[in-house]
Each structure stands twice: as C-alpha cells, then as structure tokens.
Amino acid sequence: MDADEGVEVKQSRIPGAGKGLFARRAFSPGDTIVAVDRPLVTELEIDRMLDTCSWCCQREATNPTERTMAASMGLPSGSTKIKSCTGCQRVGYCSKACQAKAWKREHKYECKIIGVKDRPDLPPGVRGAIKILGCLKADPDSEIVRVHKILNLWPAGDPKGLDEVSTRDKKKFDDFQLLGHAAWHYCGNPKIDGLDPQSISIGLLSNIMNNAFNLSSPLDSVNLGIGFDPLICSANHSCDPNASLAFNQPRQEIRALKTIKAGEEIFIQYVEATDPFNVRQVELKDTYLFTCQCSKCKKGASQETDRFLKQPEELGPEHHKLADKLASKHESRLSKFMVPGGDVEAQRRVAAMQAEAYSVLENEQTALDEVREAIQMCISSKLWSWARQPIPQLCRRLLALYIESGSIYQTFRLGIKLHVEILPALYPQEFYPDRLINAWVVSTVINVLCGAAHEELYQELAQGGLDLRLIYFGFLFYVHEHTPLMFGPNTPFGRVIDSTYRQIMAGVSIPEADIKEKIQATWPSLEALAHNVTISSL
C-alpha cells in the first residue's frame, strides 16, 4: 500500500474546524503515514535563492568557516555547489538533473518573470502562485484538477473563508488580495476559457500562505523556505501531536510519533508545541487565524510547559529593575506572555523577561553573545529550568552559532547538555527529529575532539573518567538506531548516518555488543558532565 493510500481526508471532529487527515489503517511509532516526492509548492526564502538548490533544497555553505566545518562533518553543505540559472540569475541548482526537473515542472513558467532587470525578488507565496498559474495556462484540462485540490483547503475552499479572514485579520486579507493579484499580473493577466484566473490566483495565494509549512534541512538549523501540498496540509494542528513532519530534501513525509489506530485523526504541530500555553495560542491565532482547542490547550496554563521553578512573586530584587525596563520595551507584547493569577506586577515582570527572551529567539540575525545573555537572564532568575521554553530553542540557536564560529568544545558541552538534560524532557520519543539532529552534531564534534589538534583536551577528559572515543560510539549508535524511524535510510540525512556508521565499523575489530557494554559503563560520567554545564561555562 502506498503511503498516501493509508489516509483519507474528511470532516474533522474538532469543533469549528474544516477537513482533516484520518488514518485508514493503524500506524506504529516511526511509520510513514504520508509521503510526497516533493511538495507541490516548494519555495525558498529570498536570502536562500542563490545558495540553495531550487529543486531539491540542498544548501551550499558559503561562509568559509561553516563550509570547512560542514566538510569535516560529512555534511552535504560542505561539498554542494550551487550554480545560478543562466536565464533569470535569480535561482540556482546543485546539478543539471535538478535544473532539468525544475524547468520541466515549473521554472519555465517563472524564469522570464522573475528575471526582469531591476524587478525586486518576489515573496515565496507569489512565486508559487505564478508557477501554478503558468501550468494551468499551459494545460488547463489536466492542471485544473490539481488547482481544485489546492483551492479546496481553507480559507478559499470555504464560501465564507476569505470573509472570515477579513474579519479576523484585515491586514492579512488585504495582503492575500494584493499578492494574489500581483501573481496574476506578473503572469501577464492570463485569460483561460471558463475560468477566472484572477480569482483563482487570489485563492491559490491565500491557501498557500495560510497553510504553508517551514522547510529546513535535518542536517542544520537553517530555515530554507516554505512548502505546501494539499495532502500534507490537510493535517490539522494539535499541541499534543501524534505525528511529525520530516523534510528529506525534497521528499516530504508525515511520520507517526505515537500508535495511531484506524479511524483516528492525524495531528501535527504548526507551532512549537512545548511553548507555554499563551505563546501557542497567540501564535496560532496570529498566523493561522484559529483558537486551538486541542486536549492540551483545554487544560489551559496548567501543564509542564507553563510551570516555573518558583512563583513569579519570588523573583529576586536584583531582577526587578531589569524586568521593569524590559516591560517598557515590550509593552505591546506583554499580554502574549502573561500567566493568569497571582500578583499582577510580578506577572508583568516575568512576562517582560519572557518577551525579551523570545524577541532574541525570533531575530535570525541575533549575535552569539545576545543569545547567551538571554539564556543567562532566564537561568539566573531561578524561575526557568533548562527545559522550559524558550531556553531549549535558545540553546539550539546557540549551538548553531558555535558551529558556525568553529567553537568545538563549546558545541560539545552544550550538545551533551541538550542530549542528556533538555531534549528528553520535551520530546519522549528517542527518534524525535530534534533529538536525532542534536545527537548527530554531538557525534561529529566528538570525532573532531578525538583528533590530534585536541590531544590535550582529550587527555584531560580521559583523566576525569570520560573516554571520548567510547562516547563517540554511543552517539553514533544512537543516531544509527533511531534515524530509520524518522528520516529513513534513503534520504540525505539517512545516507550520511549510514555511510559514517559503515565506515567507522569497518575499522573496528571489537564486537558491537562489547562496545555498547563499555559505553554503558562510561555513560554516567558524561551525564555528570552534562548536568554540570552552566551558562557561565559555555
């Protein structure tokens, strides 16, 4: 049975929701529920258009330090070369094969449009709508079926959907109208017998932008662009999802996180499900225009994701002045981070600190020191645990910045902190994407630390009871065992993992079972080191 034959789209049981994705058979954790070879709309962010393949989304690391690091870790970004399209000079490809696929399927409909001299780069949603309109114009009889599948989603698929968008968010409605009209105009104001291309363009743009999911490589944390596919996007959101998206460049899958019975609705997360209640609610309402009523949200701000180590009223006086200053800075955002109950002034101060931490997280240009300072602020307040958001997301951002700067030992220390203490508290599945990706980064960094250039540090750790070579095998085995349950073997991530595993084990004469026994004996030393990592020591 094909992956997409195990599901069906029908009316969701969520009050007020439209259609949803349902299982037609049972799925076990790690099973592929849905798979498409490439999302129907796969559009790069503007700043990724010339360093990332427009078809398969493999990225070229252009920063020399990052490229050297990526090459040493065996990552595709360390060897990928992107060449610009000779026609438009606006997009690039990693190979002639990818360029040929892109041209045949979609790029021929946009090349002359985006290549106009002095024309600004068009937003991803507009480029996606232009390509679909181009296909429809060229072959209306066959493409209209595909277009109808897109238009069936909310909001354009609901007779009152766009009116509801206008009522809930007038600016978003106006943007949909403006950008949809722009796509139609850039296509040359096409006229197609029996169809209204301008209305279709607005509907396409609205549905793409309102249902798109983010695309990023499992091998790094770089945001590549947006994806949209009618089948994938039929899955509704839950803050307690039973499935997860996995992007395998360019294959897009939905994988089961839990046991799913036949007839159950399949849920993924649209926003970070481990964020506090208010943060999730505001982001979902602002971005997707609905109020989440999942089983987790029905319990309000009473879950682990909302708990502090102590009450906001116990915030030390040394943080009051900083918090009051931040409250003025983030006045317009404080409601998003307020927690009901207790002393209003205390709640306002903690909300201000949360607003500052999330502000740092949301700024993609934030410097390394700023991220460290945001973590320091939260941890030193003694309200946040390392596993309470946004600390984990800030730690992952800091990890990426350490990698980019070539800070090997800091990457190692933060990586093991994430692996041992932070990520398991958030994601119980060992094959969860964040846990796998982090473990892979740690394994490659340990491999570097085992080299001659770090001999002194290696010996120092060995004297403390930490055998880095054994720890390396521990992380390698972990990733090799669990990767098939999320990304599969025949994917960019899976191939890197399997190739590394085979190469390393080919030079080992000791049975794997014996290595695992030794790993088990030394692992407590690693856990002790991870728990002793503090923000001041990073």
Side-chain angles (χ1 to χ4, degrees):
M1 179 181 287
D2 293 337
D4 59 351
E5 291 182 356
V7 296
E8 61 180 326
V9 178
K10 61 182 183 180
Q11 181 62 40
S12 174
R13 301 187 185 104
I14 302 173
K19 295 179 180 179
L21 193 64
F22 287 79
R24 294 176 58 197
R25 62 179 180 86
F27 293 97
S28 299
D31 282 353
T32 299
I33 299 172
V34 174
V36 294
D37 289 337
R38 183 176 182 269
L40 178 60
V41 174
T42 305
E43 295 296 338
L44 301 173
E45 294 294 339
I46 290 174
D47 59 357
R48 295 272 74 86
M49 289 171 66
L50 292 177
D51 69 7
T52 303
C53 180
S54 190
W55 181 257
C56 74
C57 297
Q58 290 291 342
R59 185 176 67 89
E60 174 187 351
T62 54
N63 177 283
T65 302
E66 183 195 358
R67 190 169 183 82
T68 300
M69 177 68 73
S72 69
M73 295 168 66
L75 304 182
S77 60
S79 58
T80 298
K81 284 286 188 181
I82 303 298
K83 293 185 178 180
S84 301
C85 168
T86 56
C88 63
Q89 297 289 320
R90 296 294 183 95
V91 299
Y93 301 97
C94 68
S95 66
K96 290 184 178 180
C98 278
Q99 186 172 16
K101 291 176 184 177
W103 181 262
K104 182 178 180 180
R105 171 64 196 140
E106 59 186 24
H107 186 57
K108 61 185 176 183
Y109 302 116
E110 68 162 353
C111 189
K112 290 183 179 180
I113 295 173
I114 66 175
V116 173
K117 186 178 180 180
D118 298 328
R119 174 168 287 170
D121 290 314
L122 302 179
V126 174
R127 300 199 310 270
I130 285 173
K131 292 172 183 175
I132 296 171
L133 283 174
C135 292
L136 180 62
K137 181 181 177 182
D139 189 2
D141 291 337
S142 61
E143 290 296 327
I144 192 62
V145 175
R146 191 192 308 266
V147 169
H148 278 314
K149 287 182 179 180
I150 302 170
L151 295 177
N152 278 338
L153 295 176
W154 196 88
D158 183 332
K160 298 181 180 179
L162 289 174
D163 290 336
E164 289 182 27
V165 173
S166 180
T167 300
R168 299 178 194 178
D169 190 332
K170 185 61 165 58
K171 183 180 182 304
K172 180 167 285 192
F173 174 81
D174 290 342
D175 287 343
F176 287 169
Q177 297 288 315
L178 176 64
L179 295 175
H181 179 82
W184 175 73
H185 174 71
Y186 284 130
C187 281
N189 303 343
K191 296 182 179 178
I192 306 171
D193 291 344
L195 300 174
D196 179 1
Q198 186 172 0
S199 295
I200 288 175
S201 182
I202 293 171
L204 291 172
L205 190 287
S206 302
N207 281 10
I208 290 171
M209 296 307 297
N210 198 71
N211 294 281
F213 44 85
N214 290 327
L215 300 177
S216 61
S217 167
L219 294 166
D220 57 41
S221 59
V222 176
N223 181 37
L224 299 174
I226 63 167
F228 169 89
D229 190 88
L231 185 60
I232 298 286
C233 293
S234 295
N236 282 313
H237 164 84
S238 171
C239 297
D240 184 20
N242 56 15
S244 175
L245 291 177
F247 183 48
N248 288 317
Q249 297 173 284
R251 183 180 174 87
Q252 181 71 55
E253 298 183 359
I254 297 179
R255 292 264 184 153
L257 291 175
K258 306 174 183 178
T259 298
I260 300 174
K261 298 178 181 178
E264 277 191 56
E265 185 166 0
I266 294 157
F267 295 106
I268 59 176
Q269 64 174 30
Y270 291 1
V271 298
E272 177 53 59
T274 61
D275 274 332
F277 170 75
N278 273 15
V279 174
R280 301 194 312 270
Q281 287 283 311
V282 171
E283 289 189 359
L284 287 166
K285 193 168 186 179
D286 285 352
T287 306
Y288 299 99
L289 306 178
F290 71 86
T291 299
C292 186
Q293 301 180 59
C294 71
S295 58
K296 185 175 179 179
C297 284
K298 285 181 179 178
K299 297 175 182 177
S302 63
Q303 303 300 291
E304 190 66 31
T305 53
D306 295 277
R307 295 188 184 123
F308 288 107
L309 294 177
K310 56 184 182 180
Q311 296 300 313
E313 290 82 0
E314 299 178 75
L315 180 69
E318 67 275 14
H319 285 85
H320 287 182
K321 185 176 180 180
L322 170 63
D324 290 340
K325 183 178 179 180
L326 293 174
S328 298
K329 177 182 177 182
H330 298 291
E331 184 68 41
S332 63
R333 304 182 68 211
L334 291 185
S335 61
K336 177 178 179 179
F337 303 99
M338 291 290 283
V339 179
D343 181 77
V344 174
E345 185 178 22
Q347 295 290 349
R348 179 180 168 84
R349 283 174 172 152
V350 175
M353 294 173 68
Q354 290 198 89
E356 174 67 10
Y358 273 96
S359 178
V360 170
L361 179 66
E362 292 159 5
N363 181 5
E364 294 187 1
Q365 305 304 317
T366 303
L368 189 151
D369 287 344
E370 293 176 288
V371 178
R372 289 184 75 258
E373 288 170 6
I375 300 173
Q376 175 70 47
M377 175 189 69
C378 295
I379 295 297
S380 65
S381 73
K382 298 182 181 179
L383 267 68
W384 272 264
S385 70
W386 281 90
R388 191 194 192 279
Q389 297 290 8
I391 300 296
Q393 294 179 78
L394 286 167
C395 284
R396 294 194 66 204
R397 172 71 65 80
L398 185 59
L399 189 79
L401 292 170
Y402 278 147
I403 293 173
E404 289 178 16
S405 65
S407 303
I408 302 299
Y409 188 50
Q410 288 91 333
T411 303
F412 164 70
R413 289 171 60 82
L414 183 54
I416 63 172
K417 182 82 169 179
L418 281 160
H419 183 80
V420 170
E421 184 176 335
I422 299 175
L423 296 179
L426 299 177
Y427 314 114
Q429 300 89 358
E430 290 191 293
F431 61 89
Y432 197 84
D434 294 40
R435 294 183 66 175
L436 285 174
I437 294 164
N438 182 74
W440 168 244
V441 169
V442 175
S443 74
T444 54
V445 167
I446 294 175
N447 195 32
V448 174
L449 288 174
C450 289
H454 300 277
E455 179 63 27
E456 185 176 342
L457 176 60
Y458 178 88
Q459 293 299 335
E460 180 182 334
L461 291 171
Q463 290 173 8
L466 195 66
D467 187 333
L468 280 183
R469 287 192 172 86
L470 277 176
I471 296 300
Y472 169 77
F473 277 104
F475 279 97
L476 180 63
F477 291 164
Y478 176 93
V479 180
H480 186 256
E481 177 183 352
H482 296 294
T483 292
L485 292 174
M486 180 51 64
F487 297 107
N490 192 29
T491 65
F493 188 70
R495 286 191 291 270
V496 168
I497 301 303
D498 191 59
S499 173
T500 302
Y501 173 83
R502 291 178 181 275
Q503 181 181 352
I504 295 297
M505 295 308 294
V508 175
S509 58
I510 304 174
E512 186 171 319
D514 292 349
I515 299 175
K516 288 183 176 179
E517 187 175 332
K518 293 181 178 181
I519 291 169
Q520 188 174 5
T522 196
W523 206 256
S525 297
L526 178 80
E527 292 177 337
L529 178 60
H531 290 306
N532 287 330
V533 170
T534 64
I535 185 62
S536 59
S537 66
L538 286 173

